[in-house]
Short mmCIF file of all heavy atoms in Angstrom, two decimals:
data_model
loop_
_atom_site.label_atom_id
_atom_site.label_comp_id
_atom_site.label_asym_id
_atom_site.label_seq_id
_atom_site.Cartn_x
_atom_site.Cartn_y
_atom_site.Cartn_z
N VAL U 1 18.78 60.54 -44.64
CA VAL U 1 18.91 59.08 -44.70
C VAL U 1 20.25 58.73 -43.94
O VAL U 1 21.27 59.38 -44.13
CB VAL U 1 19.00 58.55 -46.12
CG1 VAL U 1 19.29 57.13 -46.21
CG2 VAL U 1 17.72 58.92 -46.89
N MET U 2 20.14 57.73 -43.08
CA MET U 2 21.27 57.28 -42.31
C MET U 2 21.72 55.91 -42.77
O MET U 2 20.88 55.09 -43.12
CB MET U 2 20.90 57.12 -40.81
CG MET U 2 20.66 58.29 -40.05
SD MET U 2 20.41 57.77 -38.30
CE MET U 2 20.00 59.32 -37.60
N ASP U 3 23.04 55.66 -42.76
CA ASP U 3 23.49 54.30 -42.87
C ASP U 3 23.58 53.69 -41.48
O ASP U 3 23.28 54.35 -40.47
CB ASP U 3 24.78 54.21 -43.71
CG ASP U 3 26.00 54.80 -42.97
OD1 ASP U 3 25.94 55.08 -41.72
OD2 ASP U 3 27.05 54.99 -43.62
N GLY U 4 24.00 52.44 -41.39
CA GLY U 4 24.05 51.81 -40.13
C GLY U 4 25.00 52.45 -39.09
O GLY U 4 24.75 52.55 -37.93
N PHE U 5 26.13 52.96 -39.62
CA PHE U 5 27.16 53.64 -38.72
C PHE U 5 26.58 54.97 -38.24
O PHE U 5 26.81 55.33 -37.11
CB PHE U 5 28.49 53.74 -39.39
CG PHE U 5 29.11 52.44 -39.70
CD1 PHE U 5 29.29 51.99 -40.98
CD2 PHE U 5 29.53 51.61 -38.66
CE1 PHE U 5 29.85 50.74 -41.24
CE2 PHE U 5 30.10 50.37 -38.89
CZ PHE U 5 30.28 49.95 -40.19
N ASP U 6 25.88 55.68 -39.14
CA ASP U 6 25.21 56.90 -38.67
C ASP U 6 24.23 56.63 -37.58
O ASP U 6 24.15 57.37 -36.58
CB ASP U 6 24.48 57.61 -39.87
CG ASP U 6 25.43 58.15 -40.89
OD1 ASP U 6 26.63 58.46 -40.57
OD2 ASP U 6 24.98 58.27 -42.06
N PHE U 7 23.45 55.57 -37.74
CA PHE U 7 22.52 55.17 -36.68
C PHE U 7 23.19 54.93 -35.38
O PHE U 7 22.78 55.37 -34.32
CB PHE U 7 21.68 53.98 -37.11
CG PHE U 7 20.87 53.43 -35.92
CD1 PHE U 7 19.69 54.04 -35.56
CD2 PHE U 7 21.33 52.32 -35.30
CE1 PHE U 7 18.97 53.57 -34.46
CE2 PHE U 7 20.58 51.83 -34.17
CZ PHE U 7 19.44 52.45 -33.77
N LEU U 8 24.27 54.08 -35.45
CA LEU U 8 24.99 53.76 -34.20
C LEU U 8 25.58 54.98 -33.49
O LEU U 8 25.49 55.09 -32.28
CB LEU U 8 26.13 52.72 -34.48
CG LEU U 8 25.63 51.32 -34.83
CD1 LEU U 8 26.79 50.47 -35.30
CD2 LEU U 8 24.94 50.66 -33.67
N ASN U 9 26.11 55.90 -34.28
CA ASN U 9 26.61 57.12 -33.68
C ASN U 9 25.48 57.98 -33.05
O ASN U 9 25.64 58.47 -31.94
CB ASN U 9 27.32 58.02 -34.75
CG ASN U 9 28.69 57.49 -35.05
OD1 ASN U 9 29.44 57.09 -34.17
ND2 ASN U 9 29.05 57.45 -36.34
N SER U 10 24.35 58.05 -33.76
CA SER U 10 23.20 58.75 -33.18
C SER U 10 22.72 58.05 -31.89
O SER U 10 22.41 58.75 -30.89
CB SER U 10 22.09 58.82 -34.24
OG SER U 10 20.96 59.44 -33.73
N PHE U 11 22.68 56.78 -31.92
CA PHE U 11 22.22 56.02 -30.76
C PHE U 11 23.14 56.20 -29.58
O PHE U 11 22.69 56.42 -28.43
CB PHE U 11 22.17 54.53 -31.17
CG PHE U 11 21.78 53.60 -29.99
CD1 PHE U 11 20.47 53.51 -29.63
CD2 PHE U 11 22.70 52.88 -29.28
CE1 PHE U 11 20.10 52.72 -28.52
CE2 PHE U 11 22.42 52.08 -28.23
CZ PHE U 11 21.05 51.98 -27.86
N LEU U 12 24.46 56.23 -29.81
CA LEU U 12 25.37 56.43 -28.75
C LEU U 12 25.26 57.77 -28.08
O LEU U 12 25.43 57.94 -26.90
CB LEU U 12 26.85 56.30 -29.27
CG LEU U 12 27.65 55.10 -28.93
CD1 LEU U 12 29.08 55.26 -29.33
CD2 LEU U 12 27.54 54.73 -27.50
N ASN U 13 24.90 58.80 -28.89
CA ASN U 13 24.75 60.12 -28.39
C ASN U 13 23.37 60.40 -27.79
O ASN U 13 23.14 61.48 -27.24
CB ASN U 13 25.09 61.15 -29.47
CG ASN U 13 26.57 61.08 -29.88
OD1 ASN U 13 27.41 60.89 -29.01
ND2 ASN U 13 26.81 61.19 -31.12
N ASP U 14 22.44 59.48 -27.89
CA ASP U 14 21.13 59.63 -27.34
C ASP U 14 21.13 59.36 -25.82
O ASP U 14 21.86 58.51 -25.35
CB ASP U 14 20.15 58.69 -28.02
CG ASP U 14 18.72 58.91 -27.67
OD1 ASP U 14 18.40 59.89 -26.99
OD2 ASP U 14 17.87 58.09 -28.07
N ASN U 15 20.37 60.12 -25.06
CA ASN U 15 20.32 59.94 -23.65
C ASN U 15 19.03 59.27 -23.17
O ASN U 15 18.55 59.49 -22.05
CB ASN U 15 20.48 61.28 -22.94
CG ASN U 15 21.88 61.84 -23.11
OD1 ASN U 15 22.84 61.12 -23.09
ND2 ASN U 15 21.93 63.14 -23.29
N HIS U 16 18.48 58.40 -24.00
CA HIS U 16 17.24 57.69 -23.63
C HIS U 16 17.50 56.83 -22.41
O HIS U 16 18.51 56.16 -22.32
CB HIS U 16 16.77 56.82 -24.81
CG HIS U 16 15.37 56.32 -24.62
ND1 HIS U 16 15.06 55.25 -23.78
CD2 HIS U 16 14.22 56.76 -25.11
CE1 HIS U 16 13.79 55.02 -23.78
NE2 HIS U 16 13.21 55.94 -24.58
N PRO U 17 16.59 56.82 -21.42
CA PRO U 17 16.79 56.08 -20.17
C PRO U 17 16.93 54.55 -20.38
O PRO U 17 17.59 53.90 -19.54
CB PRO U 17 15.60 56.44 -19.31
CG PRO U 17 14.62 57.08 -20.22
CD PRO U 17 15.32 57.59 -21.41
N ALA U 18 16.36 54.00 -21.43
CA ALA U 18 16.42 52.57 -21.63
C ALA U 18 17.61 52.13 -22.45
O ALA U 18 17.82 50.94 -22.71
CB ALA U 18 15.13 52.05 -22.28
N LYS U 19 18.44 53.10 -22.89
CA LYS U 19 19.55 52.77 -23.79
C LYS U 19 20.47 51.71 -23.25
O LYS U 19 20.88 50.78 -24.01
CB LYS U 19 20.37 54.06 -24.10
CG LYS U 19 21.49 53.84 -25.07
CD LYS U 19 22.10 55.18 -25.47
CE LYS U 19 23.27 55.46 -24.59
NZ LYS U 19 24.03 56.61 -25.07
N SER U 20 20.74 51.70 -21.99
CA SER U 20 21.68 50.75 -21.39
C SER U 20 21.13 49.33 -21.43
O SER U 20 21.89 48.35 -21.24
CB SER U 20 22.05 51.13 -20.02
OG SER U 20 20.93 51.05 -19.16
N GLN U 21 19.83 49.17 -21.61
CA GLN U 21 19.20 47.85 -21.62
C GLN U 21 19.03 47.30 -23.03
O GLN U 21 18.60 46.17 -23.18
CB GLN U 21 17.82 47.90 -20.96
CG GLN U 21 17.92 48.35 -19.54
CD GLN U 21 16.54 48.68 -18.95
OE1 GLN U 21 15.50 48.40 -19.54
NE2 GLN U 21 16.51 49.28 -17.76
N LEU U 22 19.41 48.05 -23.99
CA LEU U 22 19.19 47.65 -25.42
C LEU U 22 20.44 47.01 -26.03
O LEU U 22 21.54 47.36 -25.69
CB LEU U 22 18.78 48.83 -26.26
CG LEU U 22 17.53 49.55 -25.83
CD1 LEU U 22 17.32 50.81 -26.70
CD2 LEU U 22 16.30 48.66 -25.96
N LYS U 23 20.20 46.05 -26.92
CA LYS U 23 21.25 45.45 -27.74
C LYS U 23 20.92 45.74 -29.19
O LYS U 23 19.78 45.69 -29.59
CB LYS U 23 21.36 43.97 -27.54
CG LYS U 23 21.97 43.58 -26.22
CD LYS U 23 23.48 43.82 -26.26
CE LYS U 23 24.14 43.36 -25.01
NZ LYS U 23 25.53 43.71 -24.97
N ILE U 24 21.92 45.97 -29.97
CA ILE U 24 21.79 46.18 -31.42
C ILE U 24 22.50 45.07 -32.12
O ILE U 24 23.71 44.86 -31.90
CB ILE U 24 22.33 47.56 -31.85
CG1 ILE U 24 21.57 48.65 -31.14
CG2 ILE U 24 22.28 47.67 -33.35
CD1 ILE U 24 22.18 50.00 -31.38
N ILE U 25 21.82 44.36 -32.95
CA ILE U 25 22.40 43.27 -33.75
C ILE U 25 22.66 43.85 -35.14
O ILE U 25 21.75 44.28 -35.82
CB ILE U 25 21.51 42.04 -33.78
CG1 ILE U 25 21.30 41.53 -32.36
CG2 ILE U 25 22.10 40.98 -34.70
CD1 ILE U 25 20.32 40.40 -32.28
N VAL U 26 23.90 43.86 -35.51
CA VAL U 26 24.33 44.33 -36.81
C VAL U 26 24.38 43.10 -37.72
O VAL U 26 25.29 42.26 -37.54
CB VAL U 26 25.64 45.09 -36.78
CG1 VAL U 26 26.11 45.49 -38.18
CG2 VAL U 26 25.56 46.26 -35.85
N LEU U 27 23.44 42.94 -38.66
CA LEU U 27 23.41 41.83 -39.58
C LEU U 27 23.89 42.34 -40.96
O LEU U 27 23.28 43.25 -41.52
CB LEU U 27 22.01 41.29 -39.65
CG LEU U 27 21.81 40.10 -40.55
CD1 LEU U 27 22.65 38.88 -40.08
CD2 LEU U 27 20.30 39.70 -40.62
N THR U 28 24.95 41.81 -41.47
CA THR U 28 25.54 42.39 -42.67
C THR U 28 26.16 41.31 -43.55
O THR U 28 26.44 40.17 -43.10
CB THR U 28 26.64 43.43 -42.24
OG1 THR U 28 27.23 44.01 -43.44
CG2 THR U 28 27.78 42.76 -41.43
N THR U 29 26.47 41.66 -44.77
CA THR U 29 27.23 40.79 -45.65
C THR U 29 28.69 41.19 -45.67
O THR U 29 29.50 40.49 -46.26
CB THR U 29 26.72 40.93 -47.11
OG1 THR U 29 26.83 42.27 -47.52
CG2 THR U 29 25.27 40.45 -47.23
N SER U 30 29.05 42.25 -44.97
CA SER U 30 30.40 42.75 -44.93
C SER U 30 31.32 41.83 -44.11
O SER U 30 30.99 41.45 -43.01
CB SER U 30 30.46 44.16 -44.39
OG SER U 30 31.83 44.58 -44.31
N THR U 31 32.47 41.57 -44.64
CA THR U 31 33.52 40.85 -43.93
C THR U 31 34.73 41.73 -43.73
O THR U 31 35.79 41.20 -43.36
CB THR U 31 33.88 39.50 -44.62
OG1 THR U 31 34.29 39.79 -45.95
CG2 THR U 31 32.69 38.53 -44.63
N ARG U 32 34.55 43.00 -44.08
CA ARG U 32 35.70 43.87 -44.03
C ARG U 32 36.14 44.12 -42.62
O ARG U 32 35.29 44.42 -41.73
CB ARG U 32 35.35 45.20 -44.70
CG ARG U 32 35.05 45.10 -46.21
CD ARG U 32 34.62 46.37 -46.73
NE ARG U 32 35.45 47.48 -46.28
CZ ARG U 32 35.28 48.71 -46.66
NH1 ARG U 32 34.32 49.05 -47.51
NH2 ARG U 32 36.07 49.67 -46.18
N SER U 33 37.38 44.02 -42.33
CA SER U 33 37.88 44.14 -40.97
C SER U 33 37.66 45.55 -40.43
O SER U 33 37.45 45.71 -39.22
CB SER U 33 39.34 43.76 -40.88
OG SER U 33 40.17 44.56 -41.74
N ASP U 34 37.68 46.55 -41.28
CA ASP U 34 37.47 47.92 -40.79
C ASP U 34 36.01 48.14 -40.39
O ASP U 34 35.71 48.84 -39.48
CB ASP U 34 37.89 48.98 -41.82
CG ASP U 34 37.23 48.86 -43.17
OD1 ASP U 34 36.91 47.73 -43.60
OD2 ASP U 34 37.00 49.90 -43.82
N ASP U 35 35.07 47.45 -41.05
CA ASP U 35 33.65 47.52 -40.64
C ASP U 35 33.45 46.83 -39.29
O ASP U 35 32.76 47.35 -38.43
CB ASP U 35 32.73 46.87 -41.65
CG ASP U 35 32.51 47.70 -42.89
OD1 ASP U 35 32.80 48.91 -42.88
OD2 ASP U 35 32.02 47.19 -43.89
N ILE U 36 34.09 45.69 -39.12
CA ILE U 36 34.01 44.98 -37.86
C ILE U 36 34.63 45.82 -36.73
O ILE U 36 34.07 45.90 -35.65
CB ILE U 36 34.75 43.58 -37.94
CG1 ILE U 36 33.98 42.74 -38.96
CG2 ILE U 36 34.77 42.88 -36.61
CD1 ILE U 36 34.72 41.45 -39.40
N ALA U 37 35.73 46.45 -37.02
CA ALA U 37 36.35 47.32 -36.02
C ALA U 37 35.45 48.50 -35.67
O ALA U 37 35.39 48.87 -34.49
CB ALA U 37 37.71 47.81 -36.56
N LYS U 38 34.81 49.09 -36.68
CA LYS U 38 33.92 50.21 -36.39
C LYS U 38 32.81 49.83 -35.49
O LYS U 38 32.42 50.55 -34.56
CB LYS U 38 33.32 50.78 -37.71
CG LYS U 38 34.24 51.71 -38.47
CD LYS U 38 33.37 52.31 -39.60
CE LYS U 38 34.14 52.42 -40.86
NZ LYS U 38 33.28 52.96 -41.93
N VAL U 39 32.21 48.65 -35.67
CA VAL U 39 31.12 48.17 -34.91
C VAL U 39 31.59 47.83 -33.49
O VAL U 39 30.86 48.03 -32.50
CB VAL U 39 30.43 46.97 -35.57
CG1 VAL U 39 29.39 46.32 -34.64
CG2 VAL U 39 29.73 47.42 -36.88
N SER U 40 32.78 47.31 -33.37
CA SER U 40 33.26 46.82 -32.08
C SER U 40 33.39 47.91 -31.01
O SER U 40 33.42 47.66 -29.84
CB SER U 40 34.57 46.05 -32.21
OG SER U 40 35.60 46.91 -32.56
N VAL U 41 33.50 49.20 -31.46
CA VAL U 41 33.60 50.25 -30.47
C VAL U 41 32.27 50.60 -29.80
O VAL U 41 32.25 51.31 -28.84
CB VAL U 41 34.21 51.58 -31.12
CG1 VAL U 41 35.56 51.31 -31.73
CG2 VAL U 41 33.26 52.15 -32.13
N PHE U 42 31.18 50.00 -30.32
CA PHE U 42 29.89 50.23 -29.72
C PHE U 42 29.63 49.05 -28.78
O PHE U 42 29.43 47.93 -29.23
CB PHE U 42 28.77 50.33 -30.78
CG PHE U 42 28.98 51.46 -31.72
CD1 PHE U 42 29.57 51.28 -32.96
CD2 PHE U 42 28.55 52.72 -31.40
CE1 PHE U 42 29.78 52.33 -33.86
CE2 PHE U 42 28.76 53.79 -32.24
CZ PHE U 42 29.35 53.57 -33.45
N PRO U 43 29.59 49.31 -27.49
CA PRO U 43 29.52 48.17 -26.52
C PRO U 43 28.22 47.40 -26.56
O PRO U 43 28.17 46.29 -26.07
CB PRO U 43 29.70 48.86 -25.14
CG PRO U 43 29.36 50.33 -25.38
CD PRO U 43 29.64 50.61 -26.82
N GLN U 44 27.17 47.99 -27.15
CA GLN U 44 25.88 47.32 -27.13
C GLN U 44 25.55 46.54 -28.43
O GLN U 44 24.42 46.25 -28.72
CB GLN U 44 24.77 48.29 -26.79
CG GLN U 44 24.90 48.87 -25.40
CD GLN U 44 24.06 50.05 -25.20
OE1 GLN U 44 24.34 51.13 -25.68
NE2 GLN U 44 22.93 49.85 -24.48
N THR U 45 26.58 46.33 -29.21
CA THR U 45 26.33 45.69 -30.52
C THR U 45 26.85 44.27 -30.59
O THR U 45 27.83 43.89 -29.96
CB THR U 45 26.98 46.53 -31.68
OG1 THR U 45 28.36 46.60 -31.41
CG2 THR U 45 26.39 47.89 -31.77
N ILE U 46 26.17 43.53 -31.44
CA ILE U 46 26.60 42.14 -31.75
C ILE U 46 26.70 42.15 -33.29
O ILE U 46 25.77 42.52 -34.02
CB ILE U 46 25.54 41.17 -31.30
CG1 ILE U 46 25.36 41.21 -29.76
CG2 ILE U 46 25.93 39.70 -31.72
CD1 ILE U 46 24.18 40.48 -29.25
N PHE U 47 27.83 41.73 -33.81
CA PHE U 47 28.10 41.69 -35.23
C PHE U 47 27.90 40.30 -35.79
O PHE U 47 28.54 39.35 -35.30
CB PHE U 47 29.56 42.18 -35.49
CG PHE U 47 29.88 42.42 -36.92
CD1 PHE U 47 29.73 43.71 -37.46
CD2 PHE U 47 30.38 41.41 -37.71
CE1 PHE U 47 30.02 43.95 -38.75
CE2 PHE U 47 30.71 41.65 -39.02
CZ PHE U 47 30.52 42.92 -39.57
N ILE U 48 27.03 40.17 -36.75
CA ILE U 48 26.73 38.87 -37.37
C ILE U 48 26.76 38.97 -38.87
O ILE U 48 26.16 39.95 -39.44
CB ILE U 48 25.35 38.32 -36.97
CG1 ILE U 48 25.24 38.16 -35.47
CG2 ILE U 48 25.00 37.00 -37.63
CD1 ILE U 48 23.92 37.79 -34.91
N ASN U 49 27.39 38.04 -39.50
CA ASN U 49 27.41 38.00 -40.95
C ASN U 49 26.24 37.19 -41.49
O ASN U 49 25.81 36.24 -40.87
CB ASN U 49 28.70 37.36 -41.51
CG ASN U 49 29.87 38.30 -41.40
OD1 ASN U 49 30.70 38.17 -40.50
ND2 ASN U 49 29.92 39.29 -42.25
N LYS U 50 25.72 37.67 -42.63
CA LYS U 50 24.66 36.90 -43.34
C LYS U 50 25.33 35.73 -44.00
O LYS U 50 26.49 35.79 -44.33
CB LYS U 50 24.00 37.79 -44.41
CG LYS U 50 23.17 38.88 -43.86
CD LYS U 50 22.54 39.71 -44.93
CE LYS U 50 21.79 40.85 -44.41
NZ LYS U 50 21.22 41.73 -45.49
N PRO U 51 24.62 34.64 -44.22
CA PRO U 51 23.22 34.44 -43.87
C PRO U 51 23.10 34.12 -42.37
O PRO U 51 23.95 33.52 -41.77
CB PRO U 51 22.82 33.20 -44.67
CG PRO U 51 24.06 32.45 -44.86
CD PRO U 51 25.17 33.46 -44.91
N LEU U 52 21.98 34.58 -41.80
CA LEU U 52 21.68 34.35 -40.39
C LEU U 52 21.12 32.93 -40.21
O LEU U 52 20.20 32.55 -40.96
CB LEU U 52 20.70 35.40 -39.89
CG LEU U 52 20.20 35.31 -38.44
CD1 LEU U 52 21.45 35.50 -37.53
CD2 LEU U 52 19.18 36.30 -38.13
N LYS U 53 21.71 32.23 -39.31
CA LYS U 53 21.23 30.86 -39.04
C LYS U 53 20.46 30.84 -37.74
O LYS U 53 20.78 31.62 -36.78
CB LYS U 53 22.42 29.90 -38.99
CG LYS U 53 23.18 29.84 -40.28
CD LYS U 53 24.46 28.95 -40.09
CE LYS U 53 25.17 28.90 -41.43
NZ LYS U 53 26.21 29.96 -41.56
N LYS U 54 19.50 29.95 -37.64
CA LYS U 54 18.67 29.89 -36.42
C LYS U 54 19.55 29.58 -35.18
O LYS U 54 19.24 30.06 -34.08
CB LYS U 54 17.52 28.98 -36.52
CG LYS U 54 17.83 27.52 -36.59
CD LYS U 54 16.57 26.71 -36.68
CE LYS U 54 16.86 25.27 -36.82
NZ LYS U 54 15.65 24.42 -36.95
N GLU U 55 20.61 28.86 -35.33
CA GLU U 55 21.51 28.58 -34.21
C GLU U 55 22.10 29.86 -33.64
O GLU U 55 22.30 29.97 -32.43
CB GLU U 55 22.58 27.60 -34.60
CG GLU U 55 22.15 26.19 -34.91
CD GLU U 55 21.56 26.06 -36.31
OE1 GLU U 55 21.73 26.93 -37.16
OE2 GLU U 55 20.90 25.02 -36.55
N GLN U 56 22.42 30.83 -34.52
CA GLN U 56 22.95 32.07 -34.09
C GLN U 56 21.92 32.84 -33.26
O GLN U 56 22.29 33.51 -32.26
CB GLN U 56 23.40 32.90 -35.27
CG GLN U 56 24.59 32.37 -35.96
CD GLN U 56 24.81 33.11 -37.26
OE1 GLN U 56 24.04 33.05 -38.21
NE2 GLN U 56 25.98 33.72 -37.36
N ILE U 57 20.67 32.79 -33.68
CA ILE U 57 19.64 33.46 -32.93
C ILE U 57 19.49 32.84 -31.53
O ILE U 57 19.44 33.54 -30.54
CB ILE U 57 18.26 33.41 -33.62
CG1 ILE U 57 18.37 34.14 -34.97
CG2 ILE U 57 17.14 33.90 -32.77
CD1 ILE U 57 17.18 33.97 -35.90
N TYR U 58 19.49 31.52 -31.45
CA TYR U 58 19.42 30.81 -30.15
C TYR U 58 20.61 31.18 -29.28
O TYR U 58 20.44 31.42 -28.09
CB TYR U 58 19.36 29.28 -30.36
CG TYR U 58 18.13 28.78 -31.04
CD1 TYR U 58 18.22 27.73 -31.91
CD2 TYR U 58 16.88 29.36 -30.80
CE1 TYR U 58 17.05 27.29 -32.58
CE2 TYR U 58 15.75 28.92 -31.41
CZ TYR U 58 15.87 27.83 -32.30
OH TYR U 58 14.70 27.39 -32.93
N ASP U 59 21.80 31.22 -29.89
CA ASP U 59 23.02 31.58 -29.11
C ASP U 59 22.92 33.00 -28.52
O ASP U 59 23.24 33.21 -27.37
CB ASP U 59 24.27 31.44 -29.96
CG ASP U 59 24.63 29.99 -30.28
OD1 ASP U 59 24.06 29.04 -29.61
OD2 ASP U 59 25.41 29.79 -31.24
N ILE U 60 22.42 33.93 -29.31
CA ILE U 60 22.28 35.33 -28.86
C ILE U 60 21.27 35.38 -27.75
O ILE U 60 21.51 36.04 -26.70
CB ILE U 60 21.88 36.22 -30.01
CG1 ILE U 60 23.07 36.38 -30.98
CG2 ILE U 60 21.49 37.62 -29.52
CD1 ILE U 60 22.69 37.05 -32.32
N LEU U 61 20.16 34.71 -27.93
CA LEU U 61 19.09 34.74 -26.91
C LEU U 61 19.60 34.14 -25.60
O LEU U 61 19.35 34.67 -24.54
CB LEU U 61 17.88 33.99 -27.43
CG LEU U 61 17.09 34.70 -28.50
CD1 LEU U 61 15.95 33.78 -29.01
CD2 LEU U 61 16.50 36.02 -28.06
N LYS U 62 20.35 33.02 -25.69
CA LYS U 62 20.87 32.41 -24.48
C LYS U 62 21.89 33.37 -23.81
O LYS U 62 21.89 33.52 -22.59
CB LYS U 62 21.57 31.10 -24.80
CG LYS U 62 20.60 29.94 -24.95
CD LYS U 62 21.31 28.58 -25.04
CE LYS U 62 21.43 28.24 -26.50
NZ LYS U 62 22.06 26.97 -26.72
N LEU U 63 22.78 33.94 -24.59
CA LEU U 63 23.85 34.80 -24.08
C LEU U 63 23.30 36.04 -23.43
O LEU U 63 23.69 36.46 -22.33
CB LEU U 63 24.82 35.15 -25.15
CG LEU U 63 25.98 36.02 -24.78
CD1 LEU U 63 26.93 35.32 -23.86
CD2 LEU U 63 26.66 36.48 -26.05
N GLU U 64 22.32 36.66 -24.10
CA GLU U 64 21.85 37.96 -23.68
C GLU U 64 20.68 37.96 -22.70
O GLU U 64 20.47 38.88 -21.96
CB GLU U 64 21.47 38.84 -24.90
CG GLU U 64 22.63 39.05 -25.82
CD GLU U 64 23.77 39.88 -25.16
OE1 GLU U 64 23.52 40.63 -24.23
OE2 GLU U 64 24.93 39.66 -25.60
N PHE U 65 19.85 36.88 -22.76
CA PHE U 65 18.64 36.87 -21.98
C PHE U 65 18.46 35.71 -21.03
O PHE U 65 17.39 35.48 -20.56
CB PHE U 65 17.45 36.92 -22.93
CG PHE U 65 17.47 38.10 -23.85
CD1 PHE U 65 17.79 37.95 -25.19
CD2 PHE U 65 17.14 39.34 -23.38
CE1 PHE U 65 17.85 39.04 -26.04
CE2 PHE U 65 17.19 40.45 -24.23
CZ PHE U 65 17.52 40.32 -25.57
N ASN U 66 19.57 35.04 -20.79
CA ASN U 66 19.49 33.86 -19.91
C ASN U 66 19.90 34.24 -18.52
O ASN U 66 20.83 33.66 -17.92
CB ASN U 66 20.36 32.71 -20.46
CG ASN U 66 20.02 31.42 -19.85
OD1 ASN U 66 18.96 31.24 -19.25
ND2 ASN U 66 20.93 30.43 -19.95
N ASN U 67 19.27 35.20 -17.93
CA ASN U 67 19.62 35.72 -16.60
C ASN U 67 18.71 35.12 -15.57
O ASN U 67 17.57 35.12 -15.56
CB ASN U 67 19.63 37.27 -16.56
CG ASN U 67 20.72 37.82 -17.42
OD1 ASN U 67 21.75 37.19 -17.58
ND2 ASN U 67 20.47 38.98 -17.99
#
């Protein structure tokens, strides 16, 4: 069983060809600065606190897919 950080570490070490095209959204209730810092070292992650609002989804979609 993996927690979210185990998954991110495993993902970083994976050599899948599509990895550079993927984004991971970390949706959490944590507001701990050390959790935010841990996630920030992963360049393909977006950190969002719960509750998730539809405006946040729109913002992410615009930012990441408006090319």
Side-chain angles (χ1 to χ4, degrees):
V1 175
M2 288 186 185
D3 67 15
F5 294 113
D6 291 335
F7 169 78
L8 289 173
N9 283 317
S10 177
F11 177 79
L12 252 191
N13 293 321
D14 187 7
N15 291 323
H16 192 282
K19 181 171 95 172
S20 65
Q21 299 171 10
L22 300 175
K23 284 288 183 184
I24 299 171
I25 298 173
V26 177
L27 181 62
T28 182
T29 58
S30 177
T31 57
R32 295 176 44 180
S33 59
D34 59 327
D35 285 344
I36 296 168
K38 280 190 217 177
V39 171
S40 69
V41 301
F42 299 98
Q44 293 167 285
T45 59
I46 300 168
F47 190 90
I48 300 175
N49 284 103
K50 291 180 182 177
L52 179 63
K53 298 176 181 91
K54 69 179 176 181
E55 292 81 14
Q56 290 170 298
I57 296 171
Y58 295 143
D59 289 344
I60 291 167
L61 290 173
K62 281 189 261 183
L63 179 68
E64 298 298 331
F65 302 104
N66 197 18
N67 293 329

